[in-house]
Amino acid sequence: MDATQLLKGVLDVAVLAVVEDEDGYGYDVVRRLRAAGLEEVGDASVYGTLRRLYSAGALTSYVVPSEEGPHRKYYGINAQGRATLELQRKVWAEFSATMNALLSSSSQPGEAA
Amino acid sequence: MTTSTVAPQIVRFAEGVRAALADLPAEEVDDLTEGLEADLAESLAEDLRRTLPDPVAYAAELRLAAGLPARAPSTKRGLLRGLPDAWQQTREAVDIAVRRTPVLAGAVDLAGSLRPVWWIVRAWLATWLLAAFFGMEDGYWFEGVWWLVLVGLVVVSAQWGRGRWSFPGLRAVLVVGNVVAVAALVPVLSAVDARSTDTVYVEGGYGEPDLTGVYLNGVPVTNIFGFDADGKPLREVQLFDQDGNPLATAVSGADGCLDADCEKTGLWVPSALRNGTVAWNVFPMRMVEDEMDVNGGLRAVPGAEPQDRVSPYKRVPALVTTEKVAKPND
């Protein structure tokens, strides 16, 4: 199974989890996701997700000017984002438990045989 | 950032990404790509082996993740529906390019704040064209009631410009109207200019304009009719003022109504003198039918002959001359 396909479904909650710790700009969020083990994550997917979460009202955004080069756009989580994240944590916990149970039980007949 | 300026390939890449998003509203594109250069620069500095992907594919991933629709193919929808889309995309691409250039962006902002001036100009132009159609324009301005028309059209023009008084199809009307107005502005201005200072009409060597004018109670005198002591009309009278200056009512290129209803207009025709010069002070002055030439100026209709002007009086009362008064005393 291709991990990038799975990632698409959970990128929202992954991004929310990353910015919950600390505000971040686009590439900063990419770097933290990769450091956490999601090495296949694409820049553009993360930037687009940040933009969509911002449009949906789950993130705040502010621009930090730079004298040395182009400015950076930072994203931070807000109350709605935290609520979304909490809900999705529960959904993920149930879903992953279900999947773990399904996958481990389907492997048992083979072991039992 | 590790570098003080953005590498050219990043700038080109970011431009490619923005171009591929150009069908989206400009604000959306800005929001999506703000900080893109900084992110890419940092990403490339961290991983020197990394190469930039295809900007179009990158843009597609960006809009997919952002939950935006994929780029609409406009060419498959037929030429008539595709053209407005293509125009819209071109405008947005130009908008984005302009906004990235501070000088151009400043110029566009300035032009935007001058829009009300244009609303007035186009209203003046429409009024002038209408008035000119009825022969009631006067230089850059108009006669009498046309000032009211101007005020009305300024109000309409400004309301439309401010997006008020809208109706279905107004946008198309405004686009076509503005294009026509821009196209007509220069010819109209040069036609007005040509009428006031025209030196083109020199058929027969009529010479340089004579700017002398004759006024009666502030109203320009266009022609003078002389009568002899018996009250009979005179022809070809040369008039001079007290200092010996030619008393001229018209200038080269000046025109007026040819008939009572002003259905035709004519140019004033000076007289030729035996010394080889032309005289504008010979009355009653005659007129030749005119037409507009290709430059918007006036010229005599080819082959048209100068016509006498209708005298206000066929005859005026005779004088009690000294000669006639003297006779009874003889």
Side-chain angles (χ1 to χ4, degrees), chain B residues 14-30:
Chain B
E15 281 169 1
V17 172
R18 290 193 175 96
L21 298 170
D23 58 309
L24 298 172
E27 197 185 342
E28 186 79 59
V29 176
D30 283 351

Side-chain angles (χ1 to χ4, degrees), chain B residues 66-118:
Chain B
L68 295 164
R71 183 162 196 160
S74 57
T75 49
K76 288 179 185 170
R77 290 164 46 189
L79 187 63
L80 279 180
R81 296 191 62 183
L83 272 178
D85 286 355
W87 167 243
Q88 181 76 10
Q89 284 166 17
T90 308
R91 270 186 60 167
E92 281 162 3
V94 169
D95 281 351
I96 292 165
V98 163
R99 211 169 308 118
R100 279 204 298 263
T101 314
V103 175
L104 281 180
V108 167
D109 280 352
L110 179 65
S113 59
L114 289 176
R115 282 177 69 213
V117 176
W118 171 243

